[in-house]
């Protein structure tokens, strides 16, 4: 009878181990499935966010289509009025340019007549002649001062004279020493 009890105990023990093993596997499976469920829920959240973003873009595009592209006639009318405005402005600017050209021509004629008056004026001619002479004298002065400086540098004999006097002193000393040595 004890053997039956031991066999039954072994059997129950194995069943307990099997049940615990199954329980652990089921716990692991539950954790795995809960992780998958969390991933699915986060994907669901992401999908919902992306859908909201796409819906917002669609709404914006529909608004742009309604406000920009469905207003072709309005935009054309605006373009035509802008062209007319620019053409009017161009005509005004052309008139002003023509007026300025006439004014410039008039001023140029006035300036030319004043130049001619100056050329015809004896005092202006004398003044221009004297200015030319002053300019020529300035050039001659510069040339002559440069020439004088170069000739002065060429004829600078003071260095050569100092060298000659120094050599003469040395020769005199040598002669005096020889004469004193031969006596």
């Amino acid at each position: 009878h004890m053997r039956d009890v031991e066999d039954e105990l072994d059997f129950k023990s194995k069943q307990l181990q099997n049940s615990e093993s199954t329980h652990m596997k089921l716990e692991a499976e539950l954790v795995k499935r809960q992780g998958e469920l969390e991933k699915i829920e986060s994907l669901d959240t992401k999908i919902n966010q992306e859908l909201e973003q796409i819906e917002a873009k669609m709404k914006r595009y529909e608004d742009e289509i309604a406000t920009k592209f469905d207003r072709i006639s309005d935009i054309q009318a605006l373009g035509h009025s802008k062209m007319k405005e620019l053409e009017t402005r161009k005509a005004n600017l052309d008139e002003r340019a023509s007026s300025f050209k006439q004014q410039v021509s008039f001023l140029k004629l006035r300036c030319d007549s004043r130049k001619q008056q100056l050329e015809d004026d004896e005092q202006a001619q004398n003044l221009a002649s004297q200015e030319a002479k002053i300019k020529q004298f300035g050039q001659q002065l510069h040339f002559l001062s440069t020439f004088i400086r170069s000739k002065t540098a060429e004829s600078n004999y003071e260095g050569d004279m100092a060298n000659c006097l120094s050599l003469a002193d040395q020769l005199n000393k040598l002669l005096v020493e020889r004469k004193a040595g031969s006596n």
Side-chain angles (χ1 to χ4, degrees):
H1 186 41
M2 183 63 133
R3 179 94 176 123
D4 287 339
V5 172
E6 284 180 357
D7 286 342
E8 196 173 316
L9 182 65
D10 282 342
F11 177 73
K12 295 282 180 187
S13 168
K14 283 182 186 177
Q15 278 187 342
L16 180 63
Q17 285 177 351
N18 284 343
S19 292
E20 286 177 351
S21 170
T22 303
H23 178 70
M24 292 175 94
K25 287 180 185 176
L26 287 174
E27 286 283 329
E29 185 72 22
L30 178 64
V31 168
K32 182 179 172 184
R33 296 292 179 223
Q34 284 177 341
E36 290 176 356
L37 180 63
E38 288 176 4
K39 285 182 184 177
I40 289 171
E41 287 175 351
S42 72
L43 281 175
D44 188 41
T45 305
K46 283 185 180 179
I47 289 171
N48 285 336
Q49 289 174 347
E50 287 182 14
L51 280 173
E52 288 174 3
Q53 289 174 352
I54 290 172
E55 287 174 357
K57 281 185 181 179
M58 283 179 54
K59 176 135 178 62
R60 191 176 74 230
Y61 291 150
E62 288 171 356
D63 289 344
E64 284 181 4
I65 288 171
T67 57
K68 290 183 182 177
F69 303 119
D70 284 346
R71 296 181 38 222
I72 292 175
S73 61
D74 294 342
I75 293 172
Q76 284 178 339
L78 183 66
H80 287 298
S81 69
K82 189 69 171 178
M83 280 183 59
K84 285 182 180 180
E85 177 187 329
L86 291 174
E87 286 172 357
T88 304
R89 187 171 176 201
K90 182 182 182 264
N92 288 337
L93 290 175
D94 286 342
E95 286 178 26
R96 288 178 67 191
S98 174
S99 171
F100 284 139
K101 284 179 184 177
Q102 288 175 353
Q103 287 178 4
V104 166
S105 296
F106 173 73
L107 291 173
K108 187 176 180 188
L109 285 173
R110 236 169 92 186
C111 181
D112 289 343
S113 70
R114 295 273 168 95
K115 281 183 184 177
Q116 187 61 43
Q117 286 175 354
L118 276 177
E119 288 175 7
D120 292 344
D121 187 30
E122 187 177 325
Q123 289 180 350
Q125 289 176 357
N126 288 338
L127 184 60
S129 164
Q130 289 175 359
E131 286 175 352
K133 285 180 183 178
I134 289 172
K135 186 176 181 181
Q136 185 180 8
F137 289 148
Q139 290 173 348
Q140 286 178 352
L141 176 64
H142 176 70
F143 172 75
L144 290 174
S145 63
T146 304
F147 178 76
I148 289 170
R149 272 188 258 128
S150 69
K151 292 301 176 185
T152 302
E154 287 177 11
S155 65
N156 189 359
Y157 62 89
E158 292 176 5
D160 293 337
M161 184 177 78
N163 286 339
C164 287
L165 289 174
S166 172
L167 285 173
D169 284 344
Q170 290 174 1
L171 287 174
N172 283 336
K173 285 180 184 177
L174 280 173
L175 288 173
V176 169
E177 288 173 5
R178 280 194 184 166
K179 197 157 199 172
S182 62
N183 282 343

